[in-house]
Amino acid sequence: MPSSVMPTPRQRNGRQRPVAVSTADLRKSYGDKTVLDGIDLRIPAGTVFALLGPNGAGKTTTVQILSTLISADGGQAQVAGHDVATSPDGVRAAIGVTGQFAALDDLLTAEENLLLMADLLRLGKREGRKRAKELLERFDIADVAHKRAAFFSGGMRRRLDIAMTLVGDPKVIFLDEPTTGLDPRSRRTMWETVRSLVAGGVTVFLTTQYLEEADQLADRIAVLDGGRIVAEGTADELKAQIPGSHVRLRFTDPDEYERAAAVFPGAVRGDEELALRVAGDGGLDALRALLDRLDAAGIRAADFSVHTPDLDDVFLALTGDGSTNTALHVKETLR
Amino acid sequence: MSTLTYAVHDSMTMLRRNLKHAIRYPSVGLGSAMMPILMLLLFVYAFGDSIGAGMGGGRDAYPNYLTPGILIMGVAAGSMSTSIAVCTDMTEGIINRFRTMNITRSSFMTGHVIGSVIQTMVSAVLVVGVALAVGFRSGATPLEWLAAAGLLAAIAFAVTWLSAALGLISKTVESASNKPLLVQFLPFLGSAFVPAQSMSPGLRWFAEYQPFTPMTETLRGLLTGTAIGNDGWISLAWCAGIALVGYVWSRSLFNSGTTR
């Protein structure tokens, strides 16, 4: 089997990972409609990367370009060390793709579907049967191995779909909205699958509209909106980008409440429950400064809690009116 | 392995997939054999007396005139069902899986075309069996039978490539299943059922120049000993031309095509 090797060892000095997927100024438009407006990505090998965005943001187009299904109008993209434009076969030999719609042969059984993949990967009869058997068991479809895929439930179809993607031992796996339309239980199973793949050293490129999914799985998240990356970072970094972090102080004594309100004139008052909301970035230094000011004034709070915005807040703020100005605006207010 | 070995290996894999479909769901294949068989029975038992009399024979003589035409029609119609199979694959997710794998690109189409030719030839054998049962008698030598099979295979190959291209341009399976009607209808406007000379002048002109007339005449000559003349070469030229157009068209459609 022609297999592509990463250009550099997986982990150098335990620090720097080689890049599995990178793009520079990737562009694509259909007629007048610009779908991708200059995408720059850099995904280290062995990590999970989530491309998060609303419908029509360009997520599927990005996956289609990176998986050699369509060509970009401009810019460059490399996957597993191969350029998608000049060496598509090199890319194809290194990747596995599971799209939004299960890519199986409904007229064949689960086992036959896997053997079809093994044949197309030229694994040989014995190796092919071995792989098929392993994958049927791993994805819990061994008992329906001889049933036609047409009769499978949505969750079983996705599992067979992923199993087919894995027959070739891909280095980079693209999962385009892998849990869209799945019930919560099947979704959890899919998440576990993704985690086990990464534990095996594979790089996963995932698109999703679910924030929770990106939060749960991804090492890094890029938010795509209107064909541009409007934010990128870890889930925590993204959450920190958004205003709205605050510390909530609650008091039992109305006098202390009033004195505290005088110490923090900018705080939002909650007179009924004797609670103050003090804005802050949720970081340790800000927290320490806040507590020092309380101490200096000799005020004791009954309890306090730190609130950070969840990814939903980030998502809505970044993609709110569909323009890139939103993101810039958010960054501006942070400074 | 060389590029060619890869191409052969991948095409064989695709062929096995298509034959598996055909064997598991014989209704499609049997359907394409049933149509010419029903036509054969209809024309022999319902119209055979009148048409045979009009041609100066009778019901007993008509099967010998009709069978080559029915075979041509059956092969043309059977080959056209490829467009449905190709379109079904194109509209489902599996094609994108094939496209993102490091396999020979042409193998997908090659597998469909060869699979369809095999199916069409099997149904042609069934048609010949029924024809013999209703009174068709051939004086052909084994070599002539072989040439007849070769001609039918060449027609099937050519029409299948055209059909594959039609399957690629069809957006839905429904529209793919409508397009073959035109080709299925063409043999009627030729010498398949009645001699072209008996038609009205405009239609006769069309019948003489459309591809299925020389094909029918060649097959009739091989199986029943009528004169072939230039029709053999004309038929092969038509087959080569249709196959080339279908192949080049399919290839450019498939290579330029993206997801739908």
Side-chain angles (χ1 to χ4, degrees):
Chain A
M1 193 196 95
S3 82
S4 145
V5 179
M6 290 289 170
T8 43
R10 184 146 277 139
Q11 211 151 342
R12 232 175 357 207
N13 308 329
R15 219 178 295 142
Q16 196 184 359
R17 290 164 182 269
V19 174
V21 178
S22 64
T23 69
D25 198 29
L26 206 59
R27 292 173 181 281
K28 179 77 184 177
S29 43
Y30 291 105
D32 290 346
K33 193 181 174 346
T34 302
V35 182
L36 295 182
D37 193 12
I39 302 287
D40 296 290
L41 296 173
R42 208 182 136 80
I43 303 167
T47 63
V48 181
F49 174 84
L51 194 59
L52 181 66
N55 282 332
K59 301 187 298 287
T60 297
T61 304
T62 309
V63 170
Q64 286 178 335
I65 292 173
L66 294 177
S67 61
T68 75
L69 272 175
I70 58 175
S71 54
D73 295 338
Q76 287 184 324
Q78 291 197 329
V79 177
H82 300 275
D83 191 290
V84 294
T86 58
S87 173
D89 280 337
V91 174
R92 289 177 192 138
I95 65 169
V97 187
T98 292
Q100 276 180 54
F101 306 101
L104 359 129
D105 189 329
D106 276 338
L107 304 184
L108 300 183
T109 68
E111 188 185 33
E112 285 168 339
N113 265 299
L114 292 168
L115 291 175
L116 174 65
M117 292 300 109
D119 277 348
L120 288 174
L121 291 157
R122 304 145 188 154
L123 291 187
K125 276 260 176 305
R126 256 181 58 202
E127 179 64 20
R129 294 203 170 279
K130 205 180 118 211
R131 284 294 287 157
K133 189 163 177 286
E134 279 168 15
L135 288 164
L136 285 168
E137 277 162 17
R138 174 169 171 195
F139 287 95
D140 204 18
I141 39 181
D143 51 333
V144 287
H146 301 292
K147 270 219 176 95
R148 274 167 47 193
F151 300 128
F152 281 21
S153 70
M156 274 154 73
R157 289 173 70 82
R158 292 294 168 105
R159 294 211 297 277
L160 176 58
D161 201 13
I162 294 263
M164 287 168 75
T165 300
L166 295 183
V167 174
D169 249 334
K171 305 278 176 293
V172 180
I173 296 179
F174 294 94
L175 301 174
D176 192 11
E177 302 199 10
T179 61
T180 298
L182 288 191
D183 58 61
R185 190 197 170 103
S186 301
R187 180 170 298 169
R188 301 256 157 210
T189 314
M190 181 63 74
W191 288 357
E192 278 159 30
T193 304
V194 172
R195 290 193 187 106
S196 74
L197 288 175
V198 180
V202 167
T203 309
V204 175
F205 186 113
L206 163 90
T207 77
T208 182
Q209 352 178 4
Y210 302 118
L211 305 147
E212 190 195 358
E213 187 159 285
D215 206 357
Q216 284 274 338
L217 294 175
D219 296 302
R220 288 187 80 75
I221 300 166
V223 182
L224 186 67
D225 189 43
R228 299 184 72 93
I229 302 280
V230 293
E232 209 212 316
T234 63
D236 288 341
E237 280 168 5
L238 288 181
K239 288 173 193 165
Q241 273 200 22
I242 192 112
S245 298
H246 64 266
V247 175
R248 185 170 177 275
L249 298 166
R250 203 172 58 80
F251 303 88
T252 43
D253 177 5
D255 282 349
E256 273 192 321
Y257 170 66
E258 287 301 335
R259 282 200 292 141
V263 172
F264 303 106
V268 179
R269 297 172 63 116
D271 290 344
E272 277 181 27
E273 67 233 305
L274 302 179
L276 284 177
R277 278 174 55 187
V278 185
D281 64 3
L284 257 183
D285 289 343
L287 204 56
R288 188 172 291 129
L290 184 144
L291 293 176
D292 285 349
R293 282 169 77 182
L294 275 180
D295 266 355
I299 305 168
R300 289 185 62 86
D303 69 41
F304 92 119
S305 51
V306 180
H307 291 261
T308 42
D310 61 14
L311 223 39
D312 274 302
D313 301 324
V314 181
F315 191 68
L316 290 173
L318 291 177
T319 65
D321 62 4
S323 82
T324 52
N325 291 341
T326 328
L328 293 175
H329 176 72
V330 167
K331 280 175 189 154
E332 227 51 64
T333 50
L334 279 172
R335 290 197 185 107
Chain B
M1 281 201 270
S2 71
T3 316
L4 183 65
T5 350
Y6 281 145
V8 172
H9 177 97
D10 294 346
S11 301
M12 287 302 290
T13 304
M14 292 295 190
L15 173 61
R16 274 203 301 278
R17 167 175 180 257
N18 290 312
L19 290 181
K20 212 172 266 178
H21 285 180
I23 291 166
R24 195 157 300 168
Y25 305 95
S27 60
V28 181
L30 282 181
S32 67
M34 282 312 288
M35 210 272 282
I37 288 172
L38 289 176
M39 285 288 200
L40 179 69
L41 297 176
L42 178 74
F43 272 79
V44 168
Y45 291 110
F47 311 140
D49 255 354
S50 323
I51 301 178
M55 285 165 62
R59 178 182 283 167
D60 295 344
Y62 189 52
N64 268 20
Y65 182 85
L66 180 66
T67 300
I70 288 284
L71 274 170
I72 296 283
M73 190 201 70
V75 164
S79 305
M80 289 307 285
S81 65
T82 317
S83 62
I84 299 170
V86 168
C87 186
T88 304
D89 269 352
M90 293 303 287
T91 48
E92 284 177 5
I94 190 109
I95 186 65
N96 283 350
R97 185 179 285 288
F98 292 148
R99 280 185 197 273
T100 56
M101 292 176 78
N102 184 21
I103 56 178
T104 316
R105 295 232 111 185
S106 60
S107 63
F108 173 76
M109 296 304 277
T110 314
H112 266 297
V113 168
I114 297 177
S116 170
V117 170
I118 292 173
Q119 282 186 73
T120 304
M121 293 309 282
V122 169
S123 55
V125 170
L126 289 176
V127 173
V128 169
V130 175
L132 289 171
V134 300
F136 172 66
R137 293 295 172 263
S138 167
T141 64
L143 199 67
E144 282 169 327
W145 272 109
L146 202 66
L151 176 67
L152 288 175
I155 297 168
F157 184 75
V159 177
T160 301
W161 271 116
L162 191 65
S163 169
L166 291 176
L168 288 172
I169 58 165
S170 303
K171 293 259 185 300
T172 64
V173 177
E174 286 75 19
S175 72
S177 65
N178 288 335
K179 291 195 174 71
L181 277 177
L182 181 73
V183 175
Q184 285 167 0
F185 197 64
L186 268 185
F188 283 97
L189 307 178
S191 64
F193 297 89
V194 294
Q197 291 94 306
S198 66
M199 297 174 180
S200 66
L203 194 56
R204 187 194 308 162
W205 181 87
F206 177 79
E208 275 167 14
Y209 289 100
Q210 69 122 322
F212 288 110
T213 300
M215 292 174 187
T216 309
E217 289 307 314
T218 307
L219 192 66
R220 190 168 283 141
L222 288 169
L223 294 182
T224 65
T226 55
I228 295 177
N230 287 330
D231 283 337
W233 298 114
I234 296 173
S235 301
L236 291 181
W238 270 114
C239 287
I242 296 171
L244 190 71
V245 169
Y247 172 76
V248 172
W249 192 18
S250 298
R251 213 177 81 141
S252 83
L253 283 172
F254 186 73
N255 288 346
S256 68
T258 57
T259 53
R260 280 188 298 209

